[in-house]
Amino acid sequence: MAKRDRFGSKIGFILAAAGSAIGLGAIWKFPYMAGTNGGSVFLILFIISTILIGLPILLAEFVIGRRGQADPVTSFKKQAPGKPWYLLGWSGLIFSSIILSFYSVVGGWILSYLVRAVFFKLKGGSENYFGELFGTIIQNPWEVIIAQGAFMLLTIWIVQGGIKGGIERASKWMMPLLFVFFIALVIRSLTLDGAMEGIKFLFVPDWSYFNGKTILLALGQAFFSLSVGVAVMITYASYLSKEEKLGSSALNVSLMNIGVSILAGLVIFPAVFALGYTPDQGPGLAFIILPAVFEQIPFGAFFMIIFFILLLFATLTSSISMLEISVSIGIRSNYDRRRKASWIYGIIIFLVGIPSALSFGVLSDLHILGMTVFDFADFITSSFGLPLGAFFMSLFAGYQLTKVELSNELKLGHSLFNTWYFIVRFAAPIAIIIIFVQGIIKLFL
């Protein structure tokens, strides 16, 4: 029987975990969430939520995962035998699968743009060209389903290769390239005429947006982009050796996530204002604005191909982490079943995602609580699944595990450990409850 796989190095683990965070959460979702929720105010709340709540819970998930050395369900059973904490593992599987079901739709959009870029079909013929193109793509039922399926095939192909041979190897090569390329895009975007208005939007607060709804959405974005609350990081940390320091790994992942989110904002918002667009264009923001930016760059067609290849990889680093949860639970200790489990769960999630893929076209009239299937899947995970999952993760680490067990696992300094311990036991759960209740009141009343 095959042995349980492991990450080969600390940097491989950090890049894989950061890849899960940096994917669409930072590059696609953060800009459009900030664009529709006040720009700078959303950024400030996002950073605060990430450092004060997201990071401590991320570290708690690292502890749970490495202590368990197993899939999330088995890990909770081993650390709390006879208690229902293992349900957190199952809820993580459910919500991560829902996320991947609509996440793969966006991955399909990226593939559609990449194919057009390769054949030099992304050329703006009019001021509204890219907006019209995006609408044409997402309303075409055959294209969105085929593209979504192709994206899921890529995800399955990587996950079936295992941790070291698939996930870690891909992360080590492509994450640094993505970061370098985004720096180049930021420089170009900031040199556009009128870019200063975009910088102001991102960094000068408009406090009229400071309300319960924005706070809830920023907290949900922190959880979504860090991949906490759905057992992704529990799964990844279970493949980590006991010698690695969890504190520095969690900090690096959090800072990289914040950094790339800001870089994505610096690419998009200066261009939004420089080219006369508005920042509140929703999920299509990156697909409408960025191609227009490339038209302003010498050899823009070539750079557009590179960008969509790297954006595809960033998306894959997140999707493989979400599929890995299902696979790890499915195979348990029978590691020879990885290939089969990858295909089974990948196909199921693809089928679940088809209504989301069609929600901008043939199913556009189908609404749940006034939202399309795509938007509802996003809402139910970001506003409910992730915060509630993070709430119970913090309770498990803070109350089920002893202080001695946590201290031995983390090996932090005395004052730093006590600060983290206080946040996980008291501050994070209370903050999540208050923000969650306020946000629900704002959303439904």
Side-chain angles (χ1 to χ4, degrees):
M1 182 177 292
K3 294 182 179 180
R4 194 167 198 271
D5 208 349
R6 287 186 179 274
F7 284 104
S9 64
K10 180 178 180 178
I11 187 62
F13 167 71
I14 291 175
L15 289 176
S20 177
I22 287 172
L24 289 185
I27 298 172
W28 166 69
K29 191 173 183 183
F30 172 81
Y32 90 73
M33 290 295 290
T36 55
N37 293 282
S40 180
V41 171
F42 185 86
L43 173 61
I44 292 170
L45 294 172
F46 166 70
I47 293 174
I48 292 173
S49 297
T50 299
I51 297 300
L52 296 185
I53 302 177
L55 172 57
I57 297 176
L58 173 64
L59 191 52
E61 290 202 23
F62 280 177
V63 170
I64 296 168
R66 191 168 71 173
R67 289 191 81 247
Q69 294 289 296
D71 67 89
V73 173
T74 303
S75 183
F76 281 111
K77 286 183 176 180
K78 288 170 63 175
Q79 297 177 72
K83 297 181 180 180
W85 288 106
Y86 69 91
L87 294 175
L88 278 175
W90 288 114
S91 69
L93 181 150
I94 293 170
F95 283 111
S96 65
S97 298
I98 294 174
I99 292 172
L100 182 53
S101 72
F102 73 84
Y103 203 91
S104 61
V105 174
V106 184
W109 297 348
I110 295 170
L111 282 175
S112 292
Y113 271 77
L114 176 58
V115 170
R116 285 175 169 81
V118 168
F119 289 99
F120 303 104
K121 298 295 185 180
L122 290 179
K123 296 180 180 180
S126 67
E127 183 179 351
N128 299 319
Y129 170 78
F130 291 108
E132 294 170 354
L133 173 65
F134 181 68
T136 299
I137 290 174
I138 65 176
Q139 291 172 29
N140 185 325
W142 290 111
E143 179 168 359
V144 291
I145 291 177
I146 291 172
Q148 177 205 5
F151 179 82
M152 283 303 302
L153 287 177
L154 288 172
T155 303
I156 294 168
W157 178 70
I158 295 173
V159 171
Q160 71 173 5
I163 300 301
K164 185 184 297 184
I167 296 172
E168 181 175 0
R169 179 182 296 176
S171 300
K172 278 186 173 180
W173 282 97
M174 297 301 291
M175 288 306 299
L177 289 176
L178 179 66
F179 185 81
V180 170
F181 194 74
F182 251 86
I183 293 290
L185 286 178
V186 167
I187 294 172
R188 183 63 187 98
S189 185
L190 292 178
T191 58
L192 293 171
D193 292 336
M196 185 56 64
E197 290 302 313
I199 296 174
K200 290 179 180 178
F201 178 77
L202 188 60
F203 294 114
V204 178
D206 178 356
W207 295 109
S208 64
Y209 285 92
F210 184 78
N211 53 52
K213 178 182 176 181
T214 305
I215 296 172
L216 174 66
L217 293 174
L219 180 60
Q221 173 65 20
F223 292 154
F224 184 94
S225 60
L226 282 176
S227 301
V228 297
V230 289
V232 166
M233 295 307 183
I234 290 177
T235 305
Y236 270 9
S238 72
Y239 299 115
L240 193 62
S241 71
K242 292 288 186 178
E243 288 72 32
E244 305 298 348
K245 294 182 178 179
L246 297 181
S248 59
S249 297
L251 180 62
N252 286 329
V253 170
S254 300
L255 293 179
M256 289 174 68
N257 178 53
I258 292 173
V260 174
S261 296
I262 293 174
L263 288 178
L266 286 174
V267 169
I268 290 180
F269 292 124
V272 166
F273 287 91
L275 298 175
Y277 292 93
T278 58
D280 56 350
Q281 298 186 45
L285 185 62
F287 296 93
I288 295 171
I289 300 302
L290 284 183
V293 172
F294 280 113
E295 285 205 312
Q296 308 289 327
I297 303 175
F299 307 105
F302 169 76
F303 284 114
M304 195 178 300
I305 294 172
I306 301 299
F307 168 75
F308 280 113
I309 291 174
L310 295 176
L311 182 58
L312 174 64
F313 178 78
T315 310
L316 283 168
T317 56
S318 293
S319 67
I320 59 181
S321 70
M322 288 179 278
L323 180 57
E324 179 61 27
I325 299 176
S326 300
V327 172
S328 67
I329 292 175
I331 63 177
R332 298 295 174 89
S333 59
N334 190 356
Y335 307 120
D336 292 318
R337 296 183 63 241
R338 167 173 285 275
R339 184 181 299 272
K340 182 179 180 180
S342 299
W343 282 98
I344 291 173
Y345 288 104
I347 291 172
I348 291 173
I349 292 171
F350 162 71
L351 294 174
V352 171
I354 288 178
S356 290
L358 299 177
S359 64
F360 299 98
V362 297
L363 295 182
S364 60
D365 292 332
L366 176 61
H367 289 84
I368 305 172
L369 298 180
M371 293 174 276
T372 65
V373 176
F374 181 98
D375 290 334
F376 179 75
D378 185 7
F379 169 77
I380 200 69
T381 51
S382 297
S383 299
F384 286 88
L386 275 69
L388 290 178
F391 172 76
F392 287 108
M393 299 288 187
S394 64
L395 292 185
F396 180 86
Y399 294 94
Q400 176 62 40
L401 302 180
T402 68
K403 195 171 184 179
V404 173
E405 289 173 331
L406 294 169
S407 180
N408 290 339
E409 193 71 35
L410 287 175
K411 296 180 174 62
L412 299 174
H414 180 72
S415 59
L416 188 58
F417 173 81
N418 284 337
T419 300
W420 172 82
Y421 191 62
F422 173 82
I423 292 174
V424 168
R425 281 175 63 89
F426 303 109
I430 292 172
I432 293 173
I433 290 174
I434 293 174
I435 294 170
F436 183 79
V437 171
Q438 288 181 343
I440 296 303
I441 292 174
K442 292 287 184 180
L443 286 169
F444 291 105
L445 298 181

